[in-house]
Amino acid sequence: MTVKKFNLPDVGEGLTEAEVVAWKVKPGDTVAINDVLCEIETAKSLVELPSPFAGTVTELLVEEGITVEVGTAIIAVSEGQEDANGTAPEAPAAEETFTPVYGKLTAEAGEQPAGGPLVGSGPKADAVKRRARKRPTGAVVEAAGVAENAEGAVQDNQAVLAAKAAETPVPQRPTAARPVVEPVQQASSAPAVQQPAATRGAAISGTISGLVNKVLAKPPVRKFARDLGIDLADVVATGQRGEVTREDLVSYQAQRDAEHDQADTFWGASRKPQDQRVERVPVKGVRKATAKAMVDSAFSAPHVSIFVDVDASRTMEFVKRLKVSRDFEGIKISPLLILAKAVIWAAARNPSVNATWVEDADGKGGAEIQIKHFMNLGIAAATPRGLMVPNIKDAQDLSLKELALALNELATKARAGKTQPAEMQGGTLTITNIGALGIDTGTPIINPGEVAIIAFGTIKQKPWVLDGEVIPRWITTLGGSFDHRVVDGDLSARFMADVAAILEEPALLLD
């Protein structure tokens, strides 16, 4: 019998340490290759660690909640067969330490890779596939309101999670594949045929248009949610087909009530000394990484911020038209989509905003400005685990519909805590949608490695002078922060004016 120890690996993001959040196995359990052993929390995401070998778990070497460095042994698994009496051979156990190879296929056909099998490459067993539901014709268009801009906020979406469960984890690479887009079937009497879980492309292309950003729930459940004032997109679904159930709503309401109760009892009793009324929260994981990144950016890049008020009334009208368009049926559309297109368009006219300042580029102390001829568009997402900035790779190549699908997928994965480290690397320019929280504007801190970030304020009706008359219009405020080492005042002003021009007249995107 051989006892193998599994070392905490670098999962592809330059990881130095991680916290063991939850073990999925216990001593005595039998595991196969690719069975999930545990969840770890890195600086930016939750990652499932699959087993690189088969055998029996003999010992968990690290307790839950403990942070360990890369290369530390975290679990021991024994390999070997028992004899006829059910006892293992008496040969002394030999210990081997194993660190898996992620994203490298070094084995010959039919053999395991030279340091062990390639883990994390199999399809998930709990894949769920559903056919898209048809929307009734003549759908009522919602009136544009303050909440329009909030639709750009990161939203939970159980339907997309179900469809994405069929995907195979993808090794890190410079660019991510674009979403597969196919026409939506408007009329079909035959039910959709389910496809094998392992066929990633077919599963996504057949369901993405109809499932993206649709929350499944029965009519009585929807009515119950309305009565409680609950947004179904905020509820974690536990139904067999990924739908929100009445029990899910009851559980969510109980959680909200508990939070309110906590607010009522937040203040400590004044009879206790003040030093006993201080809560100490360890800084780790996402919060630790965010703190370091923000300090590095704020004190290395000289920030300059400018603001512009924009009449976004035509953007609101355009969004309403897209919502009832057949081409965009089943896809969540918000003003954030138009802003994203505007930023891409404006960056092409002002390339230096899509760049990086590199210190000591030549190894002799000489700095360098690297202008990126591609757009990895970052979207700042406030999640329960903290701030994340996943980005859409090669966003400049996406059509309006493809960009909408990419934004929906990004938002869903971020809210579910499924964003992978590779999806947060290589960003070139970032948007932060503070308007989703009802905020007018702000001075955002530039994401490290970039030179510009745009804050998208809330859209609401305000008095506006148009052709000499004061009339109500849908107004928003854009705030931009720029690295003054790269972006001068003139360039930042021209870039912001170009972005504003698209929001004022989206038809300019047709040029």
Side-chain angles (χ1 to χ4, degrees):
M1 180 178 65
T2 301
V3 176
K4 291 190 174 181
K5 291 185 177 180
F6 178 33
N7 289 348
L8 176 67
D10 180 349
V11 292
E13 60 168 340
L15 182 70
T16 59
E17 64 180 17
E19 176 187 346
V20 177
V21 176
W23 283 106
K24 303 300 183 181
V25 296
K26 61 182 182 298
D29 286 353
T30 300
V31 295
I33 293 175
N34 280 338
D35 282 356
V36 175
L37 298 176
C38 65
E39 281 187 348
I40 63 170
E41 182 177 21
T42 70
K44 281 293 183 181
S45 64
L46 279 175
V47 178
E48 293 180 340
L49 288 186
S51 176
F53 33 68
T56 302
V57 177
T58 59
E59 185 180 4
L60 304 181
L61 304 176
V62 177
E63 295 181 0
E64 292 181 356
I66 300 299
T67 299
V68 295
E69 296 182 353
V70 168
T72 302
I74 60 174
I75 188 172
V77 177
S78 65
E79 288 183 330
Q81 297 182 350
E82 298 179 346
D83 59 23
N85 296 324
T87 59
E90 295 183 359
E95 288 193 358
E96 296 183 13
T97 302
F98 180 81
T99 301
V101 179
Y102 283 85
K104 297 180 181 178
L105 287 173
T106 58
E108 298 180 0
E111 300 292 334
Q112 292 182 349
L118 175 67
V119 296
S121 58
K124 294 184 178 179
D126 59 345
V128 180
K129 299 167 289 301
R130 294 181 299 276
R131 59 189 175 92
R133 296 183 299 168
K134 299 178 186 176
R135 298 180 64 186
T137 57
V140 180
V141 181
E142 296 181 0
V146 177
E148 280 286 355
N149 192 47
E151 292 179 5
V154 179
Q155 296 291 331
D156 190 9
N157 187 309
Q158 304 303 326
V160 176
L161 287 179
K164 292 298 287 180
E167 289 192 33
T168 300
V170 181
Q172 181 177 347
R173 56 186 179 185
T175 58
R178 281 184 275 162
V180 178
V181 181
E182 290 195 1
V184 177
Q185 298 293 335
Q186 290 298 319
S188 175
S189 58
V193 179
Q194 291 191 348
Q195 302 173 359
T199 55
R200 172 183 179 273
I204 297 302
S205 63
T207 59
I208 192 69
S209 293
L211 293 179
V212 168
N213 233 32
K214 276 190 175 182
V215 180
L216 299 182
K218 294 179 180 179
V221 175
R222 293 185 180 277
K223 181 179 184 304
F224 188 40
R226 287 195 298 270
D227 294 341
L228 293 175
I230 296 175
D231 185 349
L232 287 173
D234 294 334
V235 182
V236 176
T238 63
Q240 291 184 351
R241 297 184 303 154
E243 74 274 14
V244 176
T245 66
R246 184 182 181 87
E247 290 71 21
D248 295 334
L249 293 177
V250 172
S251 175
Y252 181 85
Q253 181 63 31
Q255 181 180 354
R256 288 204 309 188
D257 292 343
E259 292 174 351
H260 292 159
D261 292 342
Q262 290 175 1
D264 294 338
T265 59
F266 173 77
W267 303 114
S270 57
R271 62 178 177 274
K272 292 184 179 180
Q274 289 190 352
D275 60 356
Q276 296 181 17
R277 289 181 277 159
V278 176
E279 181 182 1
R280 291 168 173 80
V281 180
V283 178
K284 57 184 179 179
V286 174
R287 176 55 54 197
K288 182 177 180 180
T290 300
K292 183 179 185 305
M294 293 300 97
V295 170
D296 290 346
S297 176
F299 292 99
S300 63
H303 283 51
V304 59
S305 299
I306 59 176
F307 310 91
V308 57
D309 290 333
V310 183
D311 180 358
S313 299
R314 290 184 178 175
T315 286
M316 301 296 280
E317 294 171 2
F318 186 38
V319 167
K320 288 198 294 182
R321 291 199 299 271
L322 291 178
K323 286 183 176 181
V324 296
S325 168
R326 286 187 175 184
D327 289 340
F328 286 82
E329 184 177 8
I331 303 175
K332 190 175 185 65
I333 305 297
S334 76
L336 179 63
L337 171 62
I338 313 306
L339 177 69
K341 262 298 184 184
V343 166
I344 297 169
W345 182 82
R349 293 163 58 92
N350 307 276
S352 291
V353 301
N354 193 53
T356 298
W357 175 279
V358 180
E359 294 281 3
D360 196 20
D362 57 2
K364 301 178 181 179
E368 181 177 82
I369 297 173
Q370 296 178 354
I371 299 176
K372 312 293 179 63
H373 291 263
F374 57 89
M375 171 70 77
N376 291 345
L377 183 62
I379 305 294
T383 74
R385 296 180 55 247
L387 176 66
M388 293 185 178
V389 190
N391 59 76
I392 300 171
K393 311 295 186 188
D394 284 313
Q396 79 284 348
D397 292 335
L398 302 182
S399 67
L400 192 63
K401 183 175 182 178
E402 291 170 332
L403 185 59
L405 288 169
L407 285 169
N408 278 277
E409 180 181 358
L410 177 149
T412 299
K413 293 178 70 174
R415 281 291 297 272
K418 300 298 183 181
T419 303
Q420 296 302 304
E423 296 171 312
M424 291 182 281
Q425 294 177 341
T428 61
L429 198 153
T430 296
I431 296 172
T432 176
N433 186 25
I434 59 176
L437 303 174
I439 304 302
D440 291 329
T441 189
T443 55
I445 297 178
I446 302 167
N447 203 31
E450 303 172 16
V451 299
I453 183 172
I454 303 299
F456 189 20
T458 187
I459 299 178
K460 55 188 176 184
Q461 283 196 320
K462 293 181 179 180
W464 191 260
V465 178
L466 185 66
D467 297 330
E469 297 183 4
V470 178
I471 58 176
R473 302 286 285 179
W474 293 104
I475 308 301
T476 187
T477 301
L478 298 179
S481 292
F482 303 89
D483 185 340
H484 218 327
R485 296 174 298 179
V486 179
V487 183
D488 295 330
D490 174 66
L491 175 60
S492 61
R494 284 189 283 111
F495 172 72
M496 293 290 283
D498 284 341
V499 174
I502 295 298
L503 293 181
E504 290 178 346
E505 184 49 83
L508 291 175
L509 292 172
L510 301 177
D511 291 346

